[in-house]
Amino acid sequence: MDRDWIIKDLYSLLPSHIRIDVTRGLIHGPPPPSAVYEDHGIEPHHLAPPNKAATNIWQDPEDAAALVKNLTKLDKLGATARPIPLDSQGRGKMFGKPIYMVNSFGVKKDQKTRTVADLSQTPLRGTFDRYDPASRFCYNDGWTEKQSTMGFANIKDFAALQLSLGPVIEYGTTDYSGWFNLLFSHPSWARYHCMAVKAPRKEDSVITKDTPIVAVPIMSTLQGAKISAVHCAKQSNALMKSIAIKMQMETGEQLLSTPYKDVVKPEAYGLAKISLTFTEMRKLKRFQPRVRNQAHWIEGAYEHFCRWRTLRPGDSLPNFIVYQDDNLFALKGPAARKNAFRVLQYMHKQFRRGVIPVSTTCEIGNISQDKVFCGRRLLPGMKLTISDKRWSLYSDRVLALGYFTTGLPLHFLLSLAGNISYVMDMFPKIRALFAPFTWFLSQVNAICSDKKPMWKRWMKKYVQVPAILIAMVIEGWSMIYKQSANALDLVKLGFDANVRFSVDWCPDGGGSHNYTTGEYFRFLWPKGHELTENCSTKGEFFMLLVAAKRWCKSGDDAEVDEDNEGCIAVVEKFKSRRSYGDIAIVFGRWSHKNNITIHPKYDSTDDITADPLSRSNDKDWYDDFQKRCRRKGASPSTEVEADWESSWAEVLNVRSKYPIRHLISHDQLVLQTPYSLISALTLTL
């Protein structure tokens, strides 16, 4: 990589705060950890000897092949230093200071095996007192979450990209080769990045525990280091931004961004024109990450979506998305295919000049209206799904869950849960059908906590999943298998609602007021009914279901005033809990079938118009209702009927079919004896 040219020719075009950040990173590597092993009195011999891990990686042919491939690539890229011999205790020195060896292991993903460095090693048990921070310290703890956490573009961003360009779009992609290994760390930290590798002698026919070990210093960023993903993402984002600016300067055309006049506005799809600025919208709670990176510019989640929804005259919208080392760009118009290929050619020209290797080719065949990018498949007509390869892989795993009913390896089940979560981003309304499966697996978190050795043991255990949960997963999967999501359904907000109403529940009764029509309904619960119990989130959720069925028709978007924040979180994120999992399933099935989206909004108990309706046994309820309506500028009109009994019957039917409320407890992770070798091989689907 020609770092000097990149800094002087490309990065010089960036805004100063980005330029300073990425230039420093390209020259000096990622920021060093704030604390290292020595700061806690941890010496190399306090960590597990590297011999066992270095031997084990050669026992699996796929892991061994991945290690050799990785070391060969590192050597070719100049990312390794001369191997350092170690003594019989596995110790050595670099720059006159002790080496802290890094064990490595193979990670299988998408039918590929990658070698990952284990930088989460803690001192051996008993080395320090259990309450001493040193007993839990690992190298990765040297970086804070604000340094190492970031969000990548999500499904809303991909949907916004499609909608901003219209129905006919040509896509192109590029993918850097060995991106992590092209970016170097500061040499002073290499002694913490020494990979333990077996160095067989000429007379050795096989690798054993007695085969000598050498330390291979890795001079590049490591897959496994907590800071690496952010560091690499910064550089790839900066490169793409720089290329976009440079191409516009040289050609006079905005090919990697779309000016305001050419952007298909949200209003063209019947969406509301939002008065919020981009900054104001990003500050909304729903678009805030749990932890925000201190370099705010690198936060990619909701970036494209928020820019599109708040676009103003004079603005332009980037028509590319960067996802770690992968780049996606899109163009529209009659010359879209031709222009997309020009963009691809220009990008490859810059890559060659900067000596940046890429795995994708510069061919017209790379340009397509149907493009797979990072597992997502962008289809013509502004639709999204996942690749056929992933549909097949994930479906095989779901079928395995149904076939091996007596038990499956925990690592297989956790991987399946991750696969399902990935797909549910496109079909969130039926997430409730998969939630109990997640509850069941989450028990391992409570058992293992932060005890890494226990996690390693548990991952190899066989766990029997209850038949009810298997049935729920299979039902949910059958509803979405090989389906595509409409981009428009993924970008709607409460601002876009065509129906607005409020709901309220209390132990006495429930009610709802339709702001759009002025109609309202109210009822009291029968004495001794389950809904008279003090269970506010469940009660509010059920009332929302009843009101939505009464006020909404197929294809509607509804904004609902709620005074229960728990219920708001449930509906916004399509969450589910044991106490109201049955209601969540009914709600999810109904909203998915009728393509209805509910946007809950918090309103105080003192202001919400539906509050008096739920207390209609109070003598002054109607006066209070009228006062609240006047404050809201809404007028009550006609009282109507609402059929809550049929909705409750649906809930009871689900409860009868899937009796999950008391199914899951900490003692229900049933462990099984591993299967035969043939069965184990089957699970590598």
Side-chain angles (χ1 to χ4, degrees):
M1 180 184 288
D2 190 340
R3 290 167 178 79
D4 290 338
W5 179 83
I6 291 172
I7 292 170
K8 294 177 182 177
D9 194 272
L10 292 180
Y11 286 0
S12 63
L13 306 173
L14 295 170
S16 60
H17 67 289
I18 299 178
R19 184 182 69 250
I20 293 170
D21 192 354
V22 294
T23 298
R24 185 188 297 119
L26 200 58
I27 296 174
H28 301 292
S34 59
V36 292
Y37 287 119
E38 290 96 330
D39 297 323
H40 289 271
I42 302 171
E43 298 179 14
H45 65 273
H46 292 151
L47 304 176
N51 187 52
K52 183 178 179 181
T55 304
N56 287 344
I57 200 169
W58 288 95
Q59 308 310 307
D60 186 312
E62 291 185 11
D63 289 354
L67 176 64
V68 172
K69 182 180 179 181
N70 187 48
L71 289 173
T72 303
K73 181 190 287 187
L74 288 169
D75 182 64
K76 185 178 179 180
L77 295 171
T80 59
R82 181 178 297 177
I84 301 171
L86 305 176
D87 62 22
S88 58
Q89 304 297 316
R91 301 174 190 171
K93 288 189 176 181
M94 189 175 185
F95 306 124
K97 296 182 178 180
I99 290 172
Y100 288 82
M101 299 297 295
V102 176
N103 296 326
S104 57
F105 55 92
V107 174
K108 295 177 176 63
K109 184 178 180 182
D110 295 339
Q111 300 178 327
K112 293 181 180 179
T113 302
R114 293 179 173 85
T115 302
V116 176
D118 183 8
L119 293 172
S120 61
Q121 298 174 88
T122 55
L124 293 166
R125 184 179 296 181
T127 305
F128 298 93
D129 184 84
R130 60 184 294 189
Y131 299 108
D132 190 332
S135 67
R136 300 182 300 275
F137 182 82
C138 67
Y139 184 70
N140 272 337
D141 289 341
W143 292 279
T144 66
E145 282 196 276
K146 286 189 174 182
Q147 288 177 299
S148 59
T149 300
M150 60 166 289
F152 292 106
N154 57 34
I155 194 69
K156 286 185 179 293
D157 296 303
F158 288 107
L161 174 66
Q162 288 187 314
L163 293 165
S164 69
L165 296 174
V168 181
I169 308 170
E170 296 283 352
Y171 303 100
T173 56
T174 63
D175 181 5
Y176 304 125
S177 178
W179 188 232
F180 274 67
N181 306 129
L182 286 171
L183 302 171
F184 287 94
S185 295
H186 197 278
S188 61
W189 301 103
R191 65 191 184 93
Y192 299 104
H193 301 170
C194 290
M195 189 176 293
V197 179
K198 289 284 185 175
R201 296 159 296 208
K202 289 183 179 179
E203 62 271 21
D204 292 339
S205 57
V206 294
I207 293 176
T208 67
K209 63 179 182 177
D210 298 320
T211 305
I213 300 176
V214 296
V216 179
I218 309 299
M219 310 305 290
S220 65
T221 51
L222 282 174
Q223 282 191 309
K226 191 175 179 179
I227 197 67
S228 293
V230 171
H231 175 62
C232 294
K234 283 182 177 180
Q235 299 300 326
S236 52
N237 271 273
L239 276 173
M240 200 62 188
K241 291 177 184 293
S242 300
I243 290 172
I245 297 170
K246 185 177 181 182
M247 188 174 188
Q248 184 177 348
M249 291 172 61
E250 291 184 354
T251 66
E253 298 176 276
Q254 283 186 270
L255 295 181
L256 282 170
S257 64
T258 308
Y260 177 83
K261 64 180 180 64
D262 294 330
V263 174
V264 183
K265 314 298 189 299
E267 303 90 84
Y269 301 101
L271 304 179
K273 188 172 183 177
I274 298 176
S275 60
L276 299 175
T277 65
F278 169 74
T279 303
E280 290 171 338
M281 190 167 177
R282 286 301 300 266
K283 288 182 179 179
L284 295 178
K285 186 178 180 180
R286 74 190 75 173
F287 304 130
Q288 285 289 304
R290 183 182 63 83
V291 178
R292 190 179 185 189
N293 195 289
Q294 59 191 27
H296 295 172
W297 71 272
I298 197 59
E299 287 288 353
Y302 302 109
E303 172 81 11
H304 208 96
F305 168 72
C306 289
R307 288 199 180 281
W308 179 61
R309 290 305 311 260
T310 60
L311 205 66
R312 296 290 184 269
D315 294 343
S316 61
L317 188 67
N319 55 5
F320 61 86
I321 288 177
V322 180
Y323 202 100
Q324 197 53 273
D325 57 349
D326 297 286
N327 303 308
L328 170 76
F329 60 91
L331 283 91
K332 69 168 189 174
R337 185 171 177 82
K338 176 184 176 182
N339 287 334
F341 187 52
R342 286 175 57 203
V343 169
L344 185 66
Q345 289 176 309
Y346 187 87
M347 291 173 66
H348 274 262
K349 177 183 176 182
Q350 304 306 309
F351 297 152
R352 288 193 298 272
R353 180 62 184 84
V355 197
I356 304 171
V358 290
S359 56
T360 45
T361 57
C362 184
E363 298 175 353
I364 191 66
N366 190 315
I367 309 302
S368 169
Q369 294 185 19
D370 184 340
K371 177 65 68 174
V372 174
F373 178 72
C374 296
R376 302 270 186 211
R377 185 177 177 186
L378 293 89
L379 297 168
M382 298 174 292
K383 293 181 179 290
L384 292 134
T385 185
I386 60 174
S387 66
D388 289 341
K389 181 180 177 180
R390 293 204 179 199
W391 274 124
S392 178
L393 175 65
Y394 297 171
S395 295
D396 285 346
R397 290 174 175 173
V398 171
L399 290 173
L401 180 68
Y403 184 77
F404 295 96
T405 55
T406 55
L408 285 163
L410 181 61
H411 69 81
F412 179 89
L413 297 174
L414 292 173
S415 178
L416 173 59
N419 300 154
I420 291 171
S421 178
Y422 180 79
V423 179
M424 284 304 99
D425 285 347
M426 297 182 295
F427 310 100
K429 294 171 184 173
I430 60 168
R431 196 185 294 273
L433 278 163
F434 300 100
F437 178 59
T438 305
W439 305 338
F440 180 75
L441 296 178
S442 67
Q443 296 174 82
V444 185
N445 291 323
I447 297 170
C448 299
S449 185
D450 59 350
K451 303 177 182 69
K452 293 173 184 175
M454 188 174 289
W455 270 105
K456 289 180 180 179
R457 291 196 299 272
W458 267 84
M459 292 296 276
K460 299 176 183 179
K461 291 179 181 283
Y462 277 62
V463 175
Q464 183 177 12
V465 180
I468 294 170
L469 303 188
I470 295 174
M472 295 178 77
V473 170
I474 292 174
E475 180 189 342
W477 192 256
S478 66
M479 292 173 67
I480 53 91
Y481 177 60
K482 286 204 171 179
Q483 298 296 306
S484 58
N486 291 314
L488 184 60
D489 293 333
L490 299 170
V491 299
K492 291 179 177 178
L493 299 169
F495 304 105
D496 309 312
N498 62 314
V499 180
R500 289 179 167 81
F501 56 90
S502 65
V503 297
D504 192 63
W505 165 94
C506 77
D508 296 326
S512 176
H513 175 218
N514 189 326
Y515 297 142
T516 308
T517 65
E519 296 173 320
Y520 64 93
F521 65 79
R522 59 191 174 93
F523 36 69
L524 298 174
W525 309 122
K527 189 176 180 180
H529 195 278
E530 182 180 324
L531 290 168
T532 63
E533 300 170 2
N534 190 17
C535 46
S536 59
T537 298
K538 182 177 77 173
E540 294 278 354
F541 192 13
F542 178 70
M543 277 304 309
L544 189 147
L545 170 65
V546 174
K549 283 188 168 186
R550 180 63 180 83
W551 304 130
C552 297
K553 62 182 185 297
S554 181
D556 277 349
D557 293 272
E559 185 176 65
V560 185
D561 280 352
E562 261 284 356
D563 64 355
N564 184 290
E565 293 189 1
C567 182
I568 291 173
V570 169
V571 178
E572 274 189 340
K573 300 179 181 180
F574 293 91
K575 288 184 174 180
S576 185
R577 292 288 185 270
R578 295 178 182 92
S579 60
Y580 49 80
D582 38 28
I583 303 173
I585 290 171
V586 174
F587 177 77
R589 285 173 172 170
W590 172 80
S591 57
H592 178 77
K593 179 182 178 181
N594 295 283
N595 191 30
I596 291 170
T597 304
I598 304 297
H599 307 277
K601 181 168 69 74
Y602 180 78
D603 196 8
S604 70
T605 302
D606 294 335
D607 290 330
I608 195 164
T609 59
D611 183 78
L613 300 175
S614 67
R615 298 180 287 101
S616 58
N617 56 343
D618 295 349
K619 62 180 182 178
D620 60 346
W621 72 268
Y622 191 71
D623 291 338
D624 189 11
F625 176 49
Q626 286 185 312
K627 289 178 182 177
R628 292 172 184 248
C629 286
R630 285 195 293 271
R631 290 202 300 268
K632 288 281 188 182
S635 303
S637 60
T638 309
E639 182 173 0
V640 298
E641 297 292 325
D643 182 14
W644 70 269
E645 289 94 343
S646 64
S647 293
W648 187 249
E650 287 185 69
V651 172
L652 295 179
N653 285 336
V654 168
R655 190 179 297 178
S656 176
K657 183 179 180 180
Y658 298 129
I660 59 175
R661 307 185 80 195
H662 308 292
L663 174 69
I664 302 166
S665 62
H666 289 315
D667 60 352
Q668 285 189 281
L669 283 173
V670 182
L671 306 183
Q672 302 295 328
T673 303
Y675 295 115
S676 65
L677 178 61
I678 294 175
S679 296
L681 290 173
T682 305
L683 299 177
T684 61
L685 296 169

